Amino acid sequence: PISTLFRSTDISTRFLGGGGPGTFGAIAIIFQSILALIGGGAVTQKGNSIMERNLARWRVPKRLWQEVKFAGATVLLLIFVGFRLLLPSISNGYVNRGSENYVAGRLDSAESQYLRAISLNPDNILAHYSLGAVYERLGDEEGAREKYKLAIAGGVDLAYKKLAKLEILAKNYTIASDLLLDGIPFAQDDVVKYEMLTNLGWARFELERYKEARERLATAIELEKRLDQKYWLMAPHCLMAKTLEKLNEEKAALEFWQNCIDVKHFRGVNNPEEDKWIYEAKQRLKLL
């Protein structure tokens, strides 16, 4: 029946997802409730009686009542459908607010916004990915994995990099390698590809596949030359130095140990291992 189209709970509960509706959500819920009351009243026996009394009061000819009621129901239906079509855009708005909070370090607020975005539009892949990043920073690795996997299914290239990094840190090097091999062809820009190649070299190194590690790291370092220096990482250079040592090329490794601690390659410690690599570099260069 038409009345099922005007149930307010469907959309209202979506706005309530993620810790409360917010100002816009509250307005939307009120609006939906009004539509439900009016729309529901238009098709129930009691509502029909009320409408007919109003039509008589407004002196609408009785022969036109059916047409007027049909037109009113149609307008309500169009309004409702239009509102439903707006949900993806509203969801994206919550993602944008969540990203602002994430950058500002307000992780609880960011989580709430992303959850609300997903409640409004479960197919909002960016919201899933962003929520995964929040969970990762909060130390919820399993929650982050779940969201990154959903983002990968939706084609988000960054999710491959993020999930693979979690697997490397968990010492699941084969899983990380497979993820990166799948993800590199989907990298949308050179920065993402550069980081994926670096992590693939890292995973190969840990698997003691040193020749493959050198190949991937060399590709990353070559790609680095095309990037703005603000995107450069110490990791490919530190890892290349370690790899060359494993291949008994200690002299060649010295250049990369130097790059490992060179300020232009230092973007801050991105993982617990990098602090160890810097210490190793200083030892090899006799700076300690």
CSV table of all heavy atoms in Angstrom, one decimal, residues 87-110:
chain,number,residue,atom,x,y,z
A,87,LEU,N,19.7,11.8,0.2
A,87,LEU,CA,20.5,11.2,1.2
A,87,LEU,C,21.9,11.0,0.9
A,87,LEU,O,22.8,11.3,1.8
A,87,LEU,CB,19.8,9.8,1.6
A,87,LEU,CG,18.5,9.9,2.4
A,87,LEU,CD1,18.0,8.5,2.7
A,87,LEU,CD2,18.6,10.7,3.6
A,88,PRO,N,22.3,10.6,-0.3
A,88,PRO,CA,23.8,10.4,-0.6
A,88,PRO,C,24.5,11.8,-0.5
A,88,PRO,O,25.6,11.8,0.1
A,88,PRO,CB,23.8,9.9,-2.0
A,88,PRO,CG,22.5,9.2,-2.2
A,88,PRO,CD,21.5,10.0,-1.4
A,89,SER,N,23.9,12.9,-0.9
A,89,SER,CA,24.6,14.2,-0.8
A,89,SER,C,24.7,14.6,0.7
A,89,SER,O,25.7,15.1,1.1
A,89,SER,CB,23.8,15.2,-1.6
A,89,SER,OG,23.8,14.9,-2.9
A,90,ILE,N,23.6,14.3,1.5
A,90,ILE,CA,23.7,14.6,2.9
A,90,ILE,C,24.8,13.8,3.6
A,90,ILE,O,25.5,14.3,4.4
A,90,ILE,CB,22.3,14.4,3.5
A,90,ILE,CG1,21.3,15.3,2.9
A,90,ILE,CG2,22.4,14.7,5.0
A,90,ILE,CD1,19.8,15.0,3.3
A,91,SER,N,24.9,12.5,3.2
A,91,SER,CA,25.9,11.7,3.7
A,91,SER,C,27.3,12.2,3.4
A,91,SER,O,28.2,12.2,4.3
A,91,SER,CB,25.7,10.3,3.1
A,91,SER,OG,26.8,9.4,3.5
A,92,ASN,N,27.5,12.7,2.2
A,92,ASN,CA,28.8,13.3,1.9
A,92,ASN,C,29.1,14.5,2.7
A,92,ASN,O,30.3,14.7,3.0
A,92,ASN,CB,28.8,13.6,0.4
A,92,ASN,CG,28.9,12.4,-0.5
A,92,ASN,OD1,29.4,11.4,-0.1
A,92,ASN,ND2,28.4,12.6,-1.7
A,93,GLY,N,28.1,15.2,3.0
A,93,GLY,CA,28.3,16.4,3.9
A,93,GLY,C,28.8,16.0,5.3
A,93,GLY,O,29.7,16.6,5.8
A,94,TYR,N,28.3,14.9,5.8
A,94,TYR,CA,28.8,14.4,7.1
A,94,TYR,C,30.2,13.9,7.0
A,94,TYR,O,31.0,14.0,7.9
A,94,TYR,CB,27.9,13.3,7.6
A,94,TYR,CG,26.6,13.8,8.3
A,94,TYR,CD1,25.3,13.5,7.7
A,94,TYR,CD2,26.6,14.6,9.4
A,94,TYR,CE1,24.2,14.0,8.3
A,94,TYR,CE2,25.5,15.1,10.0
A,94,TYR,CZ,24.3,14.8,9.5
A,94,TYR,OH,23.1,15.2,10.1
A,95,VAL,N,30.6,13.3,5.8
A,95,VAL,CA,31.9,12.9,5.6
A,95,VAL,C,32.9,14.1,5.7
A,95,VAL,O,34.0,14.1,6.3
A,95,VAL,CB,32.1,12.1,4.3
A,95,VAL,CG1,33.6,11.9,4.0
A,95,VAL,CG2,31.4,10.8,4.3
A,96,ASN,N,32.5,15.2,5.0
A,96,ASN,CA,33.3,16.4,5.0
A,96,ASN,C,33.5,16.9,6.4
A,96,ASN,O,34.6,17.3,6.8
A,96,ASN,CB,32.7,17.4,4.1
A,96,ASN,CG,32.7,17.1,2.6
A,96,ASN,OD1,33.5,16.2,2.2
A,96,ASN,ND2,31.8,17.6,1.8
A,97,ARG,N,32.4,16.9,7.2
A,97,ARG,CA,32.5,17.4,8.6
A,97,ARG,C,33.5,16.5,9.4
A,97,ARG,O,34.3,16.9,10.2
A,97,ARG,CB,31.2,17.5,9.2
A,97,ARG,CG,30.2,18.5,8.6
A,97,ARG,CD,28.9,18.5,9.4
A,97,ARG,NE,27.9,19.2,8.7
A,97,ARG,CZ,26.6,19.2,9.1
A,97,ARG,NH1,26.3,18.6,10.2
A,97,ARG,NH2,25.7,19.8,8.3
A,98,GLY,N,33.3,15.2,9.1
A,98,GLY,CA,34.2,14.2,9.8
A,98,GLY,C,35.6,14.4,9.5
A,98,GLY,O,36.5,14.3,10.4
A,99,SER,N,35.9,14.7,8.2
A,99,SER,CA,37.3,14.9,7.8
A,99,SER,C,37.9,16.1,8.5
A,99,SER,O,39.1,16.2,8.9
A,99,SER,CB,37.4,15.1,6.3
A,99,SER,OG,36.9,13.9,5.7
A,100,GLU,N,37.1,17.2,8.7
A,100,GLU,CA,37.5,18.4,9.4
A,100,GLU,C,37.9,18.0,10.8
A,100,GLU,O,38.9,18.5,11.3
A,100,GLU,CB,36.5,19.5,9.3
A,100,GLU,CG,36.2,20.1,7.9
A,100,GLU,CD,35.0,21.0,7.9
A,100,GLU,OE1,34.4,21.2,9.0
A,100,GLU,OE2,34.7,21.5,6.8
A,101,ASN,N,37.1,17.3,11.4
A,101,ASN,CA,37.3,16.8,12.8
A,101,ASN,C,38.5,15.9,12.9
A,101,ASN,O,39.3,16.0,13.9
A,101,ASN,CB,36.1,16.2,13.4
A,101,ASN,CG,35.0,17.1,13.8
A,101,ASN,OD1,35.2,18.1,14.5
A,101,ASN,ND2,33.8,16.9,13.3
A,102,TYR,N,38.7,15.1,11.9
A,102,TYR,CA,39.8,14.1,11.9
A,102,TYR,C,41.1,14.9,11.8
A,102,TYR,O,42.1,14.6,12.6
A,102,TYR,CB,39.7,13.2,10.7
A,102,TYR,CG,40.8,12.2,10.6
A,102,TYR,CD1,40.8,11.0,11.3
A,102,TYR,CD2,41.9,12.4,9.8
A,102,TYR,CE1,41.8,10.0,11.2
A,102,TYR,CE2,42.9,11.5,9.7
A,102,TYR,CZ,42.9,10.3,10.4
A,102,TYR,OH,43.9,9.4,10.3
A,103,VAL,N,41.2,15.8,10.9
A,103,VAL,CA,42.4,16.6,10.7
A,103,VAL,C,42.7,17.4,12.0
A,103,VAL,O,43.9,17.6,12.4
A,103,VAL,CB,42.3,17.6,9.5
A,103,VAL,CG1,43.4,18.6,9.5
A,103,VAL,CG2,42.2,16.8,8.2
A,104,ALA,N,41.7,17.9,12.7
A,104,ALA,CA,41.9,18.7,13.9
A,104,ALA,C,42.2,17.8,15.1
A,104,ALA,O,42.4,18.3,16.2
A,104,ALA,CB,40.6,19.5,14.2
A,105,GLY,N,42.2,16.5,14.9
A,105,GLY,CA,42.4,15.5,16.0
A,105,GLY,C,41.3,15.2,16.9
A,105,GLY,O,41.4,14.6,18.0
A,106,ARG,N,40.1,15.7,16.5
A,106,ARG,CA,38.9,15.4,17.3
A,106,ARG,C,38.3,14.0,16.8
A,106,ARG,O,37.3,14.0,16.0
A,106,ARG,CB,37.9,16.5,17.2
A,106,ARG,CG,38.4,17.8,17.7
A,106,ARG,CD,37.3,18.9,17.7
A,106,ARG,NE,36.9,19.3,16.3
A,106,ARG,CZ,37.4,20.3,15.7
A,106,ARG,NH1,38.4,21.0,16.2
A,106,ARG,NH2,37.0,20.6,14.4
A,107,LEU,N,38.9,12.9,17.2
A,107,LEU,CA,38.6,11.6,16.7
A,107,LEU,C,37.2,11.1,17.0
A,107,LEU,O,36.5,10.5,16.2
A,107,LEU,CB,39.6,10.6,17.1
A,107,LEU,CG,41.1,10.9,16.6
A,107,LEU,CD1,42.0,9.8,17.1
A,107,LEU,CD2,41.1,11.1,15.1
A,108,ASP,N,36.7,11.4,18.3
A,108,ASP,CA,35.4,11.0,18.7
A,108,ASP,C,34.3,11.7,17.8
A,108,ASP,O,33.4,11.0,17.3
A,108,ASP,CB,35.1,11.3,20.1
A,108,ASP,CG,35.9,10.4,21.1
A,108,ASP,OD1,36.4,9.4,20.6
A,108,ASP,OD2,36.1,10.8,22.2
A,109,SER,N,34.5,13.0,17.5
A,109,SER,CA,33.6,13.7,16.7
A,109,SER,C,33.6,13.2,15.2
A,109,SER,O,32.6,13.0,14.6
A,109,SER,CB,33.9,15.2,16.7
A,109,SER,OG,33.6,15.7,18.0
A,110,ALA,N,34.8,12.9,14.8
A,110,ALA,CA,35.0,12.4,13.4
A,110,ALA,C,34.3,11.0,13.3
A,110,ALA,O,33.6,10.8,12.3
A,110,ALA,CB,36.5,12.3,13.1
